[in-house]
Amino acid sequence: MSSSQFDDFSKKCKKILENQLRICIDELQAPSILKESMLYSLEAGGKRIRPLLLFATLHAFNKDPNLGLLPAIAIEMVNTYSLIHDDLPSMDNDDLRRGKPTNHKVFGDANAILAGDALLSYSFQLIAEASEQSISLEAKVSLIQLLANSSGAEGMVGGQVADMIGEEKNLSLEELEYIHVHKTGKMLTCSVLAGAILADASEEQMEYLQQFSHHLGLAFQIRDDLLDVVGDENLIGKPIGSDVGNHKTTYPSLLGMDRTKQVLSEQINFAKEALKKTGANTILLEEITDLVATRNN
Amino acid sequence: MSSSQFDDFSKKCKKILENQLRICIDELQAPSILKESMLYSLEAGGKRIRPLLLFATLHAFNKDPNLGLLPAIAIEMVNTYSLIHDDLPSMDNDDLRRGKPTNHKVFGDANAILAGDALLSYSFQLIAEASEQSISLEAKVSLIQLLANSSGAEGMVGGQVADMIGEEKNLSLEELEYIHVHKTGKMLTCSVLAGAILADASEEQMEYLQQFSHHLGLAFQIRDDLLDVVGDENLIGKPIGSDVGNHKTTYPSLLGMDRTKQVLSEQINFAKEALKKTGANTILLEEITDLVATRNN
């Protein structure tokens, strides 16, 4: 697949996703300020890497990506809620995200907390309410279990708490990995495995996809750490060098730049090897992997 | 049923519930501060009226209350998360709840937000992970749909946002009812209907139980408003007269005390009439209704 073919796939998926996001919020019978606040952050854009991973996994098993539309929306809502809460004054206290004022800057702290809460509940509702023709009862329950586990205390929220505990502390490589595997990795893995559940992948294939997304998640975070040292502020949308300023433990601070780049390339290789073992048509997932390794924002 | 028999039922259910709450948190593989923070608020007690409604509904259909243990836990987790977030400085800014320091006073604002988030995700996970012997796939999906809808933008969170918008404004009776039906009523209705789903109640019975819980929810809130005027501070655990001080629209401020008491008694009668129509053995639900009408805290 040429890179322009991947671009087409990515653009088409994003368009369908963003259109459906608006419809989902529009349908809600709720106070309009709440709906505006939910939609504001859902529309703030971003790479939509989680939905793309889900769609690309369905593609790998020759399934129609549309089958995964509502689960992809659910995952994007969970990701968005976590960003809204992360940006709050009592958490990271960020005024800008992707160059736009953060949710609480526009709607106030209380509305931001509640918009996040509503997005989390809605994500489970959307999966539960999908038509049984598109998602079987068994798949719905598996998807909900996966999403709840990946987003909660044993997943993303647990990673966020560990990250807060680790701030201003010197972390070991093991502690740093725990944070990343949970804070970022679990929801990336959730996106891939959600696609695999919908595609009826075998247990063995699930296992390889789990390995793939584990390495992809680490690569994603290592690239993030590298960008904080050598990135372009205008592309990243936040000042570079903030990790050093905040005394955060990162891959470069633990391993140095050369070894960090080497580890990134190792993780990318591990990810691609795991993909090959699935025996599926994983060309889009490989493209996403390359994107993660080389991204500039 | 004598009142002491109801007390026995209530005590037994609470004991099983609180024991299982601890087990559920204990089982989590998560940072200990997060687990402590989640358990702190789960153990802060309260009337456990939502789980009791679920258990009493199962009893009405001659089903074993244990069948509803995990859904009851899930509902109590959602209720607890909402209290943690409500108490935050940017929301109601409360330092005490039921005489104990609020979650953010003990664990800090960031941990309180995250403990709430984790409780919400976990509530869906617990229903999804229940054994299929106790809850069928179909019932799980219905329960998750109900819980997500009742807790989210079209339910509790929507009511909370409407309540914030309505603060310091003179509300009509209709606006006041919208707030209460959503902020408090939806999760009470959820508790009753969850029991009905687990008990395989007929559609007609579901309809009557929905009516019952609608009136129960209004009665619950009217009693709350009355207690703020004539209650005993030591029993309520907060200063009386705070609604007047905050210029909040309440049933007494709209209707006066005499008419408010009359409306409370009407709602209780409506609730009991709906119960009778179910044809089920609703004696425990009637006891809870009387409790709501006469409670002092």
Side-chain angles (χ1 to χ4, degrees):
Chain A
M1 177 176 285
S2 74
S3 150
S4 79
Q5 276 174 301
F6 175 73
D7 284 351
D8 286 350
F9 173 84
S10 159
K11 270 187 204 139
K12 205 177 131 198
C13 286
K14 273 185 173 182
K15 202 177 158 186
I16 297 171
L17 180 92
E18 287 169 6
N19 190 40
Q20 188 64 38
L21 278 173
R22 270 186 298 277
I23 294 172
C24 285
I25 298 300
D26 205 48
E27 282 175 354
L28 285 173
Q29 303 273 334
S32 53
I33 182 119
L34 176 60
K35 291 169 68 169
E36 281 165 37
S37 165
M38 291 164 81
L39 192 59
Y40 175 81
S41 291
L42 285 172
E43 291 198 323
K47 293 175 285 291
R48 311 287 190 197
I49 193 161
R50 290 158 196 81
L52 280 177
L53 278 171
L54 196 160
F55 294 134
T57 305
L58 281 169
H59 178 271
F61 291 91
N62 303 313
K63 299 278 177 183
D64 181 0
N66 275 308
L67 204 67
L69 186 53
L70 287 180
I73 296 255
I75 288 171
E76 193 63 8
M77 284 188 177
V78 169
N79 184 51
T80 302
Y81 116 74
S82 78
L83 301 179
I84 297 175
H85 283 190
D86 274 7
D87 287 337
L88 286 166
S90 54
M91 307 267 281
D92 290 352
N93 194 20
D94 280 319
D95 294 352
L96 291 174
R97 174 168 293 275
R98 298 187 192 113
K100 284 178 70 178
T102 44
N103 195 293
H104 65 273
K105 280 280 154 189
V106 179
F107 298 94
D109 295 2
N111 277 320
I113 293 170
L114 291 165
D117 293 346
L119 285 169
L120 183 54
S121 279
Y122 201 21
S123 68
F124 295 104
Q125 187 176 338
L126 286 171
I127 297 174
E129 284 180 359
S131 78
E132 270 183 53
Q133 285 74 46
S134 63
I135 312 180
S136 70
L137 286 172
E138 200 170 356
K140 285 182 184 182
V141 171
S142 298
L143 289 168
I144 288 164
Q145 193 174 342
L146 174 69
L147 182 60
N149 181 268
S150 307
S151 62
E154 296 186 327
M156 184 180 69
V157 170
Q160 176 68 18
V161 171
D163 193 19
M164 280 166 28
I165 297 169
E167 270 169 24
E168 311 251 347
K169 244 176 57 177
N170 290 319
L171 301 177
S172 67
L173 189 61
E174 205 187 341
E175 289 169 324
L176 186 67
E177 281 206 358
Y178 176 92
I179 292 170
H180 294 323
V181 163
H182 289 80
K183 191 178 168 182
T184 329
K186 283 270 190 167
M187 285 301 295
L188 294 174
T189 300
C190 173
S191 310
V192 172
L193 293 187
I197 288 169
L198 290 164
D200 257 326
S202 71
E203 248 177 72
E204 210 186 354
Q205 289 172 319
M206 288 272 203
E207 184 58 38
Y208 291 132
L209 287 171
Q210 170 115 43
Q211 286 172 22
F212 157 69
S213 49
H214 173 80
H215 295 299
L216 182 78
L218 286 175
F220 187 90
Q221 193 55 50
I222 296 168
R223 185 73 197 162
D224 228 43
D225 283 359
L226 282 172
L227 283 172
D228 191 70
V229 183
V230 299
D232 180 332
E233 284 191 13
N234 293 326
L235 289 174
I236 311 174
K238 64 174 183 181
I240 67 162
S242 64
D243 289 344
V244 177
N246 296 332
H247 307 287
K248 271 202 107 157
T249 306
T250 63
Y251 283 89
S253 79
L254 276 180
L255 306 175
M257 286 298 281
D258 288 347
R259 177 76 190 122
T260 298
K261 286 178 191 169
Q262 212 178 336
V263 172
L264 172 59
S265 132
E266 280 167 16
Q267 292 297 333
I268 293 291
N269 288 340
F270 289 151
K272 288 189 176 176
E273 277 167 32
L275 275 187
K276 276 208 190 78
K277 289 185 190 155
T278 63
N281 173 26
T282 55
I283 191 142
L284 287 173
L285 289 170
E286 285 164 46
E287 291 270 357
I288 296 177
T289 308
D290 285 332
L291 208 71
V292 163
T294 59
R295 71 199 166 89
N296 292 315
N297 62 45
Chain B
M1 179 177 285
S2 73
S3 146
S4 78
Q5 277 173 301
F6 174 73
D7 284 352
D8 285 349
F9 173 84
S10 159
K11 268 187 204 141
K12 206 177 130 199
C13 287
K14 273 186 172 181
K15 202 178 159 186
I16 297 171
L17 181 92
E18 288 170 5
N19 190 41
Q20 188 64 36
L21 279 173
R22 269 187 298 277
I23 293 172
C24 286
I25 298 301
D26 205 47
E27 281 174 354
L28 285 173
Q29 303 273 332
S32 53
I33 184 121
L34 176 59
K35 292 169 68 169
E36 279 166 38
S37 165
M38 292 164 81
L39 192 59
Y40 175 81
S41 290
L42 286 171
E43 291 199 320
K47 294 176 283 293
R48 311 286 190 200
I49 193 161
R50 292 159 195 81
L52 279 178
L53 278 171
L54 196 161
F55 293 134
T57 306
L58 282 169
H59 179 269
F61 292 90
N62 302 312
K63 300 276 179 185
D64 180 359
N66 275 308
L67 205 65
L69 186 53
L70 287 179
I73 296 254
I75 289 171
E76 194 62 9
M77 284 187 177
V78 169
N79 183 52
T80 301
Y81 116 74
S82 78
L83 301 179
I84 296 175
H85 283 189
D86 274 8
D87 288 336
L88 286 165
S90 54
M91 306 268 279
D92 291 350
N93 193 21
D94 280 319
D95 294 351
L96 290 175
R97 175 167 293 274
R98 298 188 193 112
K100 283 178 70 178
T102 44
N103 195 294
H104 65 273
K105 280 280 153 191
V106 179
F107 297 95
D109 294 3
N111 277 320
I113 293 171
L114 292 165
D117 294 345
L119 285 169
L120 183 54
S121 279
Y122 201 22
S123 68
F124 295 104
Q125 187 176 339
L126 285 171
I127 296 174
E129 285 179 358
S131 79
E132 270 184 53
Q133 285 74 47
S134 62
I135 312 181
S136 71
L137 286 172
E138 199 169 358
K140 284 182 185 181
V141 171
S142 299
L143 289 169
I144 287 164
Q145 192 175 343
L146 173 70
L147 182 60
N149 181 269
S150 308
S151 62
E154 295 188 327
M156 184 180 70
V157 170
Q160 176 68 18
V161 171
D163 193 19
M164 279 165 30
I165 297 169
E167 269 169 25
E168 310 250 350
K169 243 175 62 176
N170 290 321
L171 301 177
S172 67
L173 190 61
E174 205 186 342
E175 289 169 322
L176 186 67
E177 281 205 0
Y178 176 91
I179 292 170
H180 294 323
V181 163
H182 289 79
K183 190 177 168 182
T184 328
K186 283 270 190 166
M187 285 299 296
L188 293 174
T189 300
C190 173
S191 310
V192 173
L193 293 186
I197 288 169
L198 290 164
D200 257 326
S202 72
E203 250 179 69
E204 210 187 354
Q205 288 171 320
M206 288 272 204
E207 183 59 40
Y208 292 131
L209 287 171
Q210 171 116 42
Q211 286 172 24
F212 157 69
S213 49
H214 172 82
H215 295 299
L216 182 78
L218 286 175
F220 187 89
Q221 193 56 49
I222 297 168
R223 184 73 197 161
D224 228 43
D225 284 0
L226 282 171
L227 284 173
D228 191 70
V229 183
V230 300
D232 180 331
E233 285 190 13
N234 293 325
L235 288 174
I236 310 173
K238 62 174 184 179
I240 68 163
S242 64
D243 290 343
V244 177
N246 296 334
H247 307 287
K248 272 201 106 156
T249 306
T250 63
Y251 283 88
S253 80
L254 276 178
L255 306 174
M257 286 298 280
D258 287 347
R259 177 75 189 122
T260 299
K261 286 178 191 169
Q262 213 178 336
V263 172
L264 172 59
S265 130
E266 280 167 16
Q267 293 298 333
I268 292 291
N269 288 339
F270 290 151
K272 288 189 176 176
E273 277 167 30
L275 274 187
K276 275 209 191 76
K277 290 184 191 156
T278 63
N281 173 26
T282 56
I283 192 142
L284 287 173
L285 289 169
E286 285 164 47
E287 291 270 355
I288 295 178
T289 310
D290 286 331
L291 208 71
V292 162
T294 59
R295 72 199 166 92
N296 293 315
N297 63 45

